[in-house]
Amino acid sequence: MDQHLLDIREDVFHRNQGESEFHQAVTEVFESLNTVIGKHPEYADAAILQRMCEPERQIIFRVPWTDDEGKVQINRGFRVEFNSALGPYKGGLRFHPSVYLGTVKFLGFEQVFKNALTGMPIGGGKGGSDFDPRGRSEGEVMRFCQSFMTELYRHIGEYTDVPAGDIGVGGREIGFLFGQYKRITNRYESAVLTGKGMGWGGSLLRPEATGYGAVLFAQEMLKTRGATFDGQRVVVSGSGNVAINAIDKAQSLGATAVAASDSGGYIVDEAGIDVALLRQIKEVERGRISEYAERRGGKAKYVENGCVWDVDATVALPSATQNELEAKDAKRLVEAGIVAVAEGANMPCTADATAIFQEAGVLFGPGKAANAGGVATSALEMQQNASRDSWSFGHTERRLEEIMIGIHSTCATTADRYGKPGNYVAGANIAGFTKVADAMLALGVI
Ligand code: NDP
């Protein structure tokens, strides 16, 4: 990284102290930008990078709600509206006890570049709360969502900021949030949230889109080595929305997905994960992955508190959370013959792990490219809402495929152009950055 970039980064660290994930995300982007800044002095002249690292708006609010025992609970809500040069802020809401401002900023920063890569007219933002929905009753989740939206509603809108789901926020939570927005505003403003249910403004394929998209991105990477998913041994982390749909898609392409996890441990099922059973346990019953092994009739084993990256794979799809795949895991996977890694989650691989994969020549798809199918399909949901239309599953899937192939090709050609062939991290960062930077230049100093 040259001195100009180091100085800006130092200032960002200083202004955002203690936000380690945000620092990590900024560092990863900056490390890709040396050649770009050298070729384009106009970006430095207009302080584009400094502006990109400073969110346009950061909202932090109190979320009071009453639990089933009648006790008042207080959580903290966040929405970071990072960059709207390309369109309304767009990005999910995460409900997890670990959420703090630094989490939301790192996710919002990543989202700006990811959304640019999709080619859709969407800016970047992210939000959430330190609320933990696990173990809470339906009524508690609803009251929390209603209280959260009672503050958030004044900051969002179809043309302003369009949240969606993320960890801990699925169709149920989006329903409660949308219901409260509609009630407060007296407007059926469908495109204010994405990830809605099919019967009330949602898009077919949106639930599947992130996981499917990550597999489609990995498939494009494999093609560059003359390979396909057929016969691959896939390991996935997590067992939420992204993980389950990634498993589903990988198996439909002929792979065997043998392992998945949650925060309690992992399962191994050498015959291939039974997706219907996993969906039933995780999505319908909201249970734990340990139950999968219990109900698989001896075909699967559960390893409590184990690390899923101890399982050999040729393709890894980390799809749980940030920094869940460390250097030691990367080394082990390389030794075991891993061919490709596509990040279904946001920043699941640490910087060291990413470097190990890249140095070993493993195909590595960073989250901001590989998991962009979710937000791209959210933008398709917004298109359907705007035109009061509802597309078929097949039509939406073809659009997703085109978008993922397009993102792969953008990353690959950009990496080539800037002298980093095969480096999808550099390709994604540079292509996302230049698209947003050019729009910011055109819009003046705002
Ligand atoms: P879900 O809440 O549906 O699932 C999350 C899964 O990850 C669960 O299995 C959860 O296990 C596990 N997990 C979460 N936190 C931890 C942790 N600290 N340690 C170990 N396991 C953990 O979330 P999603 O599937 O929607 O999101 C997963 C990732 O994908 C996130 O990084 C998200 O930002 C990213 N993403 C999601 C998109 C979407 O459309 N949903 C779009 C783009 C990216 P447990 O239940 O035990 O907590």
Side-chain angles (χ1 to χ4, degrees):
M1 208 185 289
D2 75 14
Q3 196 55 46
H4 168 70
L5 288 166
L6 281 170
D7 291 345
I8 299 173
R9 191 183 70 154
E10 191 51 40
D11 191 44
V12 172
F13 284 9
H14 184 68
R15 290 163 68 85
N16 301 278
Q17 290 178 30
E19 297 175 355
S20 57
E21 298 89 347
F22 180 46
H23 298 180
Q24 186 183 338
V26 167
T27 300
E28 190 215 274
V29 170
F30 278 31
E31 279 173 347
S32 302
L33 294 183
N34 264 341
T35 43
V36 185
I37 300 296
K39 277 189 190 164
H40 295 277
E42 67 275 21
Y43 295 150
D45 293 346
I48 292 289
L49 262 176
Q50 293 91 324
R51 280 195 272 155
M52 271 191 195
C53 293
E54 185 68 22
E56 290 176 17
R57 192 174 296 109
Q58 304 180 54
I59 304 148
I60 304 181
F61 51 99
R62 179 172 68 200
V63 189
W65 56 283
T66 306
D67 69 17
D68 285 348
E69 276 71 54
K71 195 164 167 255
V72 176
Q73 302 279 348
I74 312 286
N75 286 101
R76 189 171 283 178
F78 303 91
R79 187 73 186 164
V80 173
E81 299 181 332
F82 227 109
N83 194 304
S84 60
L86 299 181
Y89 312 105
K90 181 90 199 81
L93 298 170
R94 176 176 293 189
F95 293 169
H96 192 273
S98 64
V99 168
Y100 75 112
L101 185 59
T103 323
V104 181
K105 268 200 208 151
F106 118 67
L107 290 164
F109 185 74
E110 291 271 297
Q111 195 84 45
V112 173
F113 303 94
K114 179 190 311 194
N115 293 5
L117 282 175
T118 65
M120 321 287 280
I122 40 178
K126 200 82 188 190
S129 173
D130 57 2
F131 172 71
D132 189 355
R134 285 172 304 182
R136 290 292 179 189
S137 71
E138 188 106 342
E140 289 177 319
V141 171
M142 182 180 74
R143 289 193 294 282
F144 172 81
C145 288
Q146 289 175 339
S147 181
F148 186 87
M149 185 53 86
T150 301
E151 174 58 33
L152 187 69
Y153 89 94
R154 67 188 89 244
H155 306 291
I156 62 174
E158 180 181 348
Y159 298 104
T160 322
D161 184 355
V162 183
D166 191 83
I167 291 178
V169 179
R172 174 182 68 172
E173 290 75 18
I174 294 291
F176 294 147
L177 292 163
F178 184 69
Q180 185 72 349
Y181 182 85
K182 186 177 81 61
R183 185 185 193 194
I184 296 173
T185 60
N186 195 29
R187 285 158 61 86
Y188 206 106
E189 190 184 333
S190 296
V192 68
L193 287 169
T194 58
K196 299 181 294 295
M198 296 316 145
W200 42 279
S203 172
L204 288 168
L205 193 76
R206 177 60 190 90
E208 294 86 357
T210 308
Y212 278 26
V215 170
L216 292 170
F217 191 90
Q219 179 175 248
E220 290 307 298
M221 292 198 301
L222 288 168
K223 275 188 200 163
T224 66
R225 303 249 171 107
T228 67
F229 258 95
D230 198 21
Q232 302 287 353
R233 181 180 162 91
V234 177
V235 169
V236 179
S237 61
S239 49
N241 171 274
V242 179
I244 292 178
N245 290 297
I247 293 168
D248 194 6
K249 186 69 180 176
Q251 299 207 135
S252 77
L253 294 173
T256 307
V258 295
S261 64
D262 63 19
S263 55
Y266 69 89
I267 51 137
V268 182
D269 187 339
E270 291 290 346
I273 291 172
D274 178 339
V275 176
L277 177 60
L278 190 59
R279 280 193 196 282
Q280 173 66 25
I281 292 168
K282 299 297 291 191
E283 294 179 346
V284 180
E285 300 168 19
R286 297 180 185 276
R288 308 301 300 159
I289 205 164
S290 54
E291 295 164 38
Y292 177 91
E294 286 159 23
R295 284 155 67 173
R296 190 71 167 117
K299 285 194 193 147
K301 70 166 179 176
Y302 174 62
V303 182
E304 194 173 358
N305 295 324
C307 172
V308 74
W309 306 121
D310 289 343
V311 183
D312 290 357
T314 56
V315 176
L317 303 171
S319 305
T321 194
Q322 64 273 10
N323 293 326
E324 47 142 324
L325 195 160
E326 300 174 1
K328 67 171 173 38
D329 307 315
K331 271 189 206 138
R332 220 206 55 76
L333 286 167
V334 167
E335 278 161 20
I338 189 100
V339 175
V341 179
E343 294 186 323
N346 286 308
M347 214 168 70
C349 299
T350 63
D352 290 345
T354 303
I356 289 167
F357 287 134
Q358 289 183 317
E359 279 156 25
V362 175
L363 295 162
F364 183 82
K368 58 172 80 68
N371 70 37
V375 74
T377 309
S378 275
L380 299 179
E381 182 174 333
M382 291 164 74
Q383 278 185 22
Q384 293 168 73
N385 294 150
S387 58
R388 304 269 189 270
D389 200 358
S390 185
W391 303 344
S392 69
F393 192 91
H395 175 71
T396 320
E397 195 172 26
R398 278 192 297 282
R399 291 293 308 271
L400 174 66
E401 278 166 15
E402 283 164 16
I403 291 167
M404 294 316 297
I405 290 169
I407 294 172
H408 175 271
S409 141
T410 300
C411 294
T413 53
T414 306
D416 283 349
R417 194 173 329 129
Y418 284 87
K420 304 196 172 180
N423 186 336
Y424 292 97
V425 175
N429 286 334
I430 296 171
F433 170 79
T434 50
K435 173 127 198 214
V436 178
D438 290 343
M440 288 175 74
L441 279 180
L443 298 181
V445 180
I446 53 168

PDB file of all heavy atoms in Angstrom, residues 203-205 380 384 389-399:
ATOM      1  N   SER A 203     -40.420 -11.471  -3.980  1.00  0.00           N
ATOM      2  CA  SER A 203     -40.021 -12.019  -5.264  1.00  0.00           C
ATOM      3  C   SER A 203     -39.697 -13.497  -5.109  1.00  0.00           C
ATOM      4  O   SER A 203     -39.019 -13.894  -4.158  1.00  0.00           O
ATOM      5  CB  SER A 203     -38.769 -11.300  -5.777  1.00  0.00           C
ATOM      6  OG  SER A 203     -38.278 -11.960  -6.932  1.00  0.00           O
ATOM      7  N   LEU A 204     -40.187 -14.276  -6.073  1.00  0.00           N
ATOM      8  CA  LEU A 204     -39.729 -15.664  -6.122  1.00  0.00           C
ATOM      9  C   LEU A 204     -38.215 -15.652  -6.244  1.00  0.00           C
ATOM     10  O   LEU A 204     -37.640 -14.732  -6.842  1.00  0.00           O
ATOM     11  CB  LEU A 204     -40.361 -16.380  -7.326  1.00  0.00           C
ATOM     12  CG  LEU A 204     -41.857 -16.693  -7.179  1.00  0.00           C
ATOM     13  CD1 LEU A 204     -42.445 -17.135  -8.511  1.00  0.00           C
ATOM     14  CD2 LEU A 204     -42.096 -17.758  -6.121  1.00  0.00           C
ATOM     15  N   LEU A 205     -37.563 -16.628  -5.668  1.00  0.00           N
ATOM     16  CA  LEU A 205     -36.117 -16.809  -5.692  1.00  0.00           C
ATOM     17  C   LEU A 205     -35.352 -15.930  -4.703  1.00  0.00           C
ATOM     18  O   LEU A 205     -34.190 -16.191  -4.432  1.00  0.00           O
ATOM     19  CB  LEU A 205     -35.530 -16.584  -7.107  1.00  0.00           C
ATOM     20  CG  LEU A 205     -34.091 -17.036  -7.302  1.00  0.00           C
ATOM     21  CD1 LEU A 205     -34.018 -18.543  -7.428  1.00  0.00           C
ATOM     22  CD2 LEU A 205     -33.441 -16.406  -8.519  1.00  0.00           C
ATOM     23  N   LEU A 380     -34.156  -6.868  -7.971  1.00  0.00           N
ATOM     24  CA  LEU A 380     -35.185  -7.390  -8.890  1.00  0.00           C
ATOM     25  C   LEU A 380     -36.560  -7.339  -8.217  1.00  0.00           C
ATOM     26  O   LEU A 380     -37.578  -7.075  -8.859  1.00  0.00           O
ATOM     27  CB  LEU A 380     -34.858  -8.826  -9.316  1.00  0.00           C
ATOM     28  CG  LEU A 380     -33.532  -9.046 -10.065  1.00  0.00           C
ATOM     29  CD1 LEU A 380     -33.342 -10.529 -10.409  1.00  0.00           C
ATOM     30  CD2 LEU A 380     -33.452  -8.200 -11.341  1.00  0.00           C
ATOM     31  N   GLN A 384     -39.915  -5.406  -9.567  1.00  0.00           N
ATOM     32  CA  GLN A 384     -41.263  -5.990  -9.664  1.00  0.00           C
ATOM     33  C   GLN A 384     -42.260  -5.138  -8.889  1.00  0.00           C
ATOM     34  O   GLN A 384     -43.372  -4.894  -9.347  1.00  0.00           O
ATOM     35  CB  GLN A 384     -41.260  -7.430  -9.134  1.00  0.00           C
ATOM     36  CG  GLN A 384     -40.455  -8.369 -10.010  1.00  0.00           C
ATOM     37  CD  GLN A 384     -40.214  -9.722  -9.341  1.00  0.00           C
ATOM     38  OE1 GLN A 384     -41.126 -10.537  -9.225  1.00  0.00           O
ATOM     39  NE2 GLN A 384     -38.987  -9.972  -8.920  1.00  0.00           N
ATOM     40  N   ASP A 389     -45.604  -5.927 -10.723  1.00  0.00           N
ATOM     41  CA  ASP A 389     -45.518  -7.168 -11.489  1.00  0.00           C
ATOM     42  C   ASP A 389     -44.967  -8.273 -10.600  1.00  0.00           C
ATOM     43  O   ASP A 389     -44.429  -8.021  -9.526  1.00  0.00           O
ATOM     44  CB  ASP A 389     -44.574  -6.929 -12.692  1.00  0.00           C
ATOM     45  CG  ASP A 389     -44.789  -7.938 -13.794  1.00  0.00           C
ATOM     46  OD1 ASP A 389     -45.631  -8.839 -13.629  1.00  0.00           O
ATOM     47  OD2 ASP A 389     -44.093  -7.831 -14.836  1.00  0.00           O
ATOM     48  N   SER A 390     -45.092  -9.496 -11.071  1.00  0.00           N
ATOM     49  CA  SER A 390     -44.563 -10.631 -10.330  1.00  0.00           C
ATOM     50  C   SER A 390     -44.006 -11.628 -11.347  1.00  0.00           C
ATOM     51  O   SER A 390     -44.741 -12.137 -12.179  1.00  0.00           O
ATOM     52  CB  SER A 390     -45.718 -11.243  -9.524  1.00  0.00           C
ATOM     53  OG  SER A 390     -45.230 -12.263  -8.728  1.00  0.00           O
ATOM     54  N   TRP A 391     -42.713 -11.839 -11.294  1.00  0.00           N
ATOM     55  CA  TRP A 391     -42.066 -12.689 -12.306  1.00  0.00           C
ATOM     56  C   TRP A 391     -42.086 -14.143 -11.873  1.00  0.00           C
ATOM     57  O   TRP A 391     -42.152 -14.459 -10.681  1.00  0.00           O
ATOM     58  CB  TRP A 391     -40.610 -12.262 -12.509  1.00  0.00           C
ATOM     59  CG  TRP A 391     -40.415 -10.834 -12.892  1.00  0.00           C
ATOM     60  CD1 TRP A 391     -41.360  -9.965 -13.370  1.00  0.00           C
ATOM     61  CD2 TRP A 391     -39.187 -10.097 -12.825  1.00  0.00           C
ATOM     62  NE1 TRP A 391     -40.794  -8.742 -13.613  1.00  0.00           N
ATOM     63  CE2 TRP A 391     -39.461  -8.789 -13.279  1.00  0.00           C
ATOM     64  CE3 TRP A 391     -37.887 -10.413 -12.440  1.00  0.00           C
ATOM     65  CZ2 TRP A 391     -38.478  -7.802 -13.345  1.00  0.00           C
ATOM     66  CZ3 TRP A 391     -36.902  -9.442 -12.509  1.00  0.00           C
ATOM     67  CH2 TRP A 391     -37.201  -8.149 -12.958  1.00  0.00           C
ATOM     68  N   SER A 392     -41.930 -15.022 -12.874  1.00  0.00           N
ATOM     69  CA  SER A 392     -41.877 -16.461 -12.579  1.00  0.00           C
ATOM     70  C   SER A 392     -40.522 -16.802 -11.951  1.00  0.00           C
ATOM     71  O   SER A 392     -39.549 -16.042 -12.069  1.00  0.00           O
ATOM     72  CB  SER A 392     -42.048 -17.275 -13.859  1.00  0.00           C
ATOM     73  OG  SER A 392     -40.898 -17.109 -14.673  1.00  0.00           O
ATOM     74  N   PHE A 393     -40.478 -17.981 -11.315  1.00  0.00           N
ATOM     75  CA  PHE A 393     -39.221 -18.446 -10.718  1.00  0.00           C
ATOM     76  C   PHE A 393     -38.146 -18.563 -11.801  1.00  0.00           C
ATOM     77  O   PHE A 393     -37.018 -18.096 -11.637  1.00  0.00           O
ATOM     78  CB  PHE A 393     -39.451 -19.814 -10.048  1.00  0.00           C
ATOM     79  CG  PHE A 393     -38.319 -20.255  -9.169  1.00  0.00           C
ATOM     80  CD1 PHE A 393     -38.303 -19.944  -7.826  1.00  0.00           C
ATOM     81  CD2 PHE A 393     -37.255 -20.985  -9.697  1.00  0.00           C
ATOM     82  CE1 PHE A 393     -37.249 -20.351  -6.996  1.00  0.00           C
ATOM     83  CE2 PHE A 393     -36.200 -21.397  -8.885  1.00  0.00           C
ATOM     84  CZ  PHE A 393     -36.205 -21.073  -7.539  1.00  0.00           C
ATOM     85  N   GLY A 394     -38.538 -19.159 -12.935  1.00  0.00           N
ATOM     86  CA  GLY A 394     -37.565 -19.394 -14.020  1.00  0.00           C
ATOM     87  C   GLY A 394     -36.995 -18.093 -14.560  1.00  0.00           C
ATOM     88  O   GLY A 394     -35.784 -17.974 -14.765  1.00  0.00           O
ATOM     89  N   HIS A 395     -37.875 -17.110 -14.751  1.00  0.00           N
ATOM     90  CA  HIS A 395     -37.408 -15.823 -15.293  1.00  0.00           C
ATOM     91  C   HIS A 395     -36.434 -15.166 -14.305  1.00  0.00           C
ATOM     92  O   HIS A 395     -35.371 -14.670 -14.692  1.00  0.00           O
ATOM     93  CB  HIS A 395     -38.610 -14.912 -15.541  1.00  0.00           C
ATOM     94  CG  HIS A 395     -38.235 -13.533 -15.993  1.00  0.00           C
ATOM     95  ND1 HIS A 395     -37.720 -13.277 -17.243  1.00  0.00           N
ATOM     96  CD2 HIS A 395     -38.256 -12.332 -15.339  1.00  0.00           C
ATOM     97  CE1 HIS A 395     -37.454 -11.982 -17.345  1.00  0.00           C
ATOM     98  NE2 HIS A 395     -37.767 -11.386 -16.206  1.00  0.00           N
ATOM     99  N   THR A 396     -36.806 -15.191 -13.023  1.00  0.00           N
ATOM    100  CA  THR A 396     -35.955 -14.550 -12.013  1.00  0.00           C
ATOM    101  C   THR A 396     -34.626 -15.288 -11.901  1.00  0.00           C
ATOM    102  O   THR A 396     -33.566 -14.667 -11.761  1.00  0.00           O
ATOM    103  CB  THR A 396     -36.682 -14.524 -10.648  1.00  0.00           C
ATOM    104  OG1 THR A 396     -38.059 -14.214 -10.861  1.00  0.00           O
ATOM    105  CG2 THR A 396     -36.089 -13.490  -9.719  1.00  0.00           C
ATOM    106  N   GLU A 397     -34.680 -16.604 -12.007  1.00  0.00           N
ATOM    107  CA  GLU A 397     -33.444 -17.391 -11.914  1.00  0.00           C
ATOM    108  C   GLU A 397     -32.514 -17.085 -13.092  1.00  0.00           C
ATOM    109  O   GLU A 397     -31.294 -16.980 -12.926  1.00  0.00           O
ATOM    110  CB  GLU A 397     -33.777 -18.886 -11.859  1.00  0.00           C
ATOM    111  CG  GLU A 397     -32.597 -19.724 -11.403  1.00  0.00           C
ATOM    112  CD  GLU A 397     -32.959 -21.182 -11.153  1.00  0.00           C
ATOM    113  OE1 GLU A 397     -33.928 -21.685 -11.758  1.00  0.00           O
ATOM    114  OE2 GLU A 397     -32.254 -21.809 -10.348  1.00  0.00           O
ATOM    115  N   ARG A 398     -33.109 -16.917 -14.274  1.00  0.00           N
ATOM    116  CA  ARG A 398     -32.258 -16.578 -15.431  1.00  0.00           C
ATOM    117  C   ARG A 398     -31.588 -15.220 -15.224  1.00  0.00           C
ATOM    118  O   ARG A 398     -30.418 -15.017 -15.546  1.00  0.00           O
ATOM    119  CB  ARG A 398     -33.089 -16.582 -16.732  1.00  0.00           C
ATOM    120  CG  ARG A 398     -33.272 -17.984 -17.303  1.00  0.00           C
ATOM    121  CD  ARG A 398     -33.834 -17.956 -18.715  1.00  0.00           C
ATOM    122  NE  ARG A 398     -35.172 -17.379 -18.782  1.00  0.00           N
ATOM    123  CZ  ARG A 398     -36.297 -18.017 -18.439  1.00  0.00           C
ATOM    124  NH1 ARG A 398     -36.247 -19.267 -18.023  1.00  0.00           N
ATOM    125  NH2 ARG A 398     -37.467 -17.422 -18.529  1.00  0.00           N
ATOM    126  N   ARG A 399     -32.364 -14.269 -14.651  1.00  0.00           N
ATOM    127  CA  ARG A 399     -31.773 -12.943 -14.373  1.00  0.00           C
ATOM    128  C   ARG A 399     -30.619 -13.072 -13.379  1.00  0.00           C
ATOM    129  O   ARG A 399     -29.570 -12.466 -13.528  1.00  0.00           O
ATOM    130  CB  ARG A 399     -32.827 -11.973 -13.810  1.00  0.00           C
ATOM    131  CG  ARG A 399     -33.912 -11.528 -14.783  1.00  0.00           C
ATOM    132  CD  ARG A 399     -33.378 -10.658 -15.919  1.00  0.00           C
ATOM    133  NE  ARG A 399     -32.576  -9.514 -15.464  1.00  0.00           N
ATOM    134  CZ  ARG A 399     -33.065  -8.305 -15.160  1.00  0.00           C
ATOM    135  NH1 ARG A 399     -34.345  -8.066 -15.274  1.00  0.00           N
ATOM    136  NH2 ARG A 399     -32.260  -7.332 -14.755  1.00  0.00           N
TER     137      ARG A 399
END
